[in-house]
Amino acid sequence: MILTVTPNPSLDRTYEIPALTRGAVLRADADRVDPGGKGVNVSRAVAAAGHRTIAVLPLGGPEGALLERLLTGLGIEVAAVPVTGRTRVNIAAAEPDGTLTKLNAPGPELTPAESHALLSAVTARAGGATWTVCCGSLPRGLDDDWYAALVARARRTGARIALDTSGPALTRALPAGPDVVKPNTDELATAVRRHLATVGDAVLAAEDLRKAGARAVLATLGAAGQLLVDDTGTHWGTAPATPVRSDVGAGDASLAGFLSAGGRGPRALAAALAHGAAAVRLPGSAMPEPADLRPDEVTVTSEPPLERPLGAAR
Ligand SMILES: O=P(O)(O)OC[C@@]1(O)O[C@H](CO)[C@@H](O)[C@@H]1O
């Protein structure tokens, strides 16, 4: 069983529009609503691959009730922590050339009792999970040490922990020893406080995160590829991701693929690449089904192209 925790989940509404013009009334050609939030997406992707998964998340208001119904309909077990605020709705505008503009709401502010209830809901279930996957931004009311506390508590249950967050919430959790962290280019650069121009820079940054406490680093570096630094070595891979439809959730799909394939070494990196590329070819924050994957198109090497420039974050 893979347990996910999403402290600030969302309903993701995507509008497909011909072009984004500021200040205009825009008419959408199509729209869709997906369950959202990074941990929720990991649950959706591992459920699509046939794994049992429980999603722990605070839920409030009619949006929270709809999110729960959508997840249950996908075969995901929901461990809901009721909160007084309303679950957020995040908006994406997708243009035909693959450009995507996203507007993420702050989400409800959690009370100290709700924050504590969320921690307890995770640690009560972490012992029975092969992985506990902690993902996304922290809502108001949860301080920057919240993930650090969660990782420390979950470790005591013997759980393996994957962490995908950014800024101080990430750096403060590193000393607690997460088994794998999954930054993108910007998040990795922010964590080491330096600009990353090449794959070689990303390798050095990943090694720094390991020195700070992470046992492994899976870095999703956009069109440039993905990097894994773990106890099996340093591995690099790419997968063609065209045509680009929407890169929302591609990092979450990558993490899900990585964990579904054992969460260690080049085989797991190849699965991450296949899932990430498939997610980019799908609309909105749709997560790939096994039929969407093209594992034959993935290339993985243990000799990363250190001089290769890094592109935009994904
Ligand atoms: O505001 P956060 O928590 O950083 O990100 C939330 C979010 O953008 O991440 C997912 C894609 O990774 C979406 O489903 C969701 O809308």
Side-chain angles (χ1 to χ4, degrees), residues 8 10 12 35-38 41 88 90 102 104 136-137 248-249 252 285:
N8 202 0
S10 57
D12 284 357
K38 294 185 179 7
N41 292 341
R88 64 182 170 158
N90 292 341
K102 206 154 178 322
N104 282 6
S137 62
V248 179
D252 311 330
S285 54

Side-chain angles (χ1 to χ4, degrees), residues 278-298:
V280 169
R281 290 189 291 265
L282 294 169
S285 54
M287 289 292 116
E289 306 273 333
D292 299 313
L293 305 178
R294 298 182 193 162
D296 297 349
E297 295 181 359
V298 173

Side-chain angles (χ1 to χ4, degrees), residues 1-310:
M1 185 269 285
I2 292 183
L3 184 74
T4 66
V5 54
T6 313
N8 202 0
S10 57
L11 288 173
D12 284 357
R13 180 171 282 279
T14 305
Y15 293 99
E16 299 205 355
I17 55 169
L20 186 63
T21 317
R22 287 181 67 200
V25 174
L26 303 171
R27 306 245 173 234
D29 298 323
D31 71 322
R32 55 179 288 143
V33 174
D34 293 294
K38 294 185 179 7
V40 163
N41 292 341
V42 171
S43 273
R44 290 165 64 206
V46 298
H51 296 273
R52 182 176 168 224
T53 177
I54 301 177
V56 180
L57 58 175
L59 289 177
E63 296 82 0
L66 175 56
L67 180 54
E68 181 163 13
R69 272 205 311 283
L70 291 173
L71 290 175
T72 308
L74 295 171
I76 295 166
E77 294 168 51
V78 177
V81 174
V83 295
T84 44
R86 292 169 73 149
T87 297
R88 64 182 170 158
V89 179
N90 292 341
I91 307 286
E95 296 171 73
D97 66 354
T99 306
L100 193 122
T101 308
K102 206 154 178 322
L103 188 55
N104 282 6
E109 177 162 358
L110 269 52
T111 64
E114 291 166 350
S115 159
H116 191 260
L118 191 57
L119 268 184
S120 302
V122 181
T123 46
R125 291 167 180 84
T130 47
W131 283 97
T132 295
V133 192
C134 314
C135 298
S137 62
L138 293 174
R140 292 167 296 166
L142 268 53
D143 66 30
D144 289 339
D145 290 321
W146 194 84
Y147 276 129
L150 181 61
V151 173
R153 275 183 174 220
R155 284 213 75 84
R156 287 200 285 275
T157 70
R160 281 192 296 171
I161 298 138
L163 176 65
D164 178 6
T165 190
S166 54
L170 169 62
T171 47
R172 296 208 187 168
L174 294 175
D179 294 273
V180 60
V181 295
K182 195 223 68 63
N184 64 25
T185 311
D186 289 345
E187 291 162 349
L188 188 56
T190 303
V192 297
R193 295 197 208 152
R194 45 180 202 267
H195 175 66
L196 306 178
T198 63
V199 171
D201 292 345
V203 171
L204 294 176
E207 284 166 357
D208 284 357
L209 296 201
R210 292 189 78 209
K211 282 183 206 134
R215 296 179 181 196
V217 178
L218 171 68
T220 50
L221 304 173
Q226 295 188 14
L227 168 71
L228 173 65
V229 185
D230 70 2
D231 62 357
T232 70
T234 298
H235 312 283
W236 172 260
T238 56
T242 47
V244 176
R245 189 89 184 269
S246 161
D247 63 8
V248 179
D252 311 330
S254 299
L255 180 57
F258 180 77
L259 300 177
S260 303
R264 183 169 177 260
R267 200 178 73 84
L269 174 61
L273 283 153
H275 280 74
V280 169
R281 290 189 291 265
L282 294 169
S285 54
M287 289 292 116
E289 306 273 333
D292 299 313
L293 305 178
R294 298 182 193 162
D296 297 349
E297 295 181 359
V298 173
T299 312
V300 170
T301 169
S302 295
E303 288 177 12
L306 300 176
E307 305 300 324
R308 182 178 299 178
L310 295 176

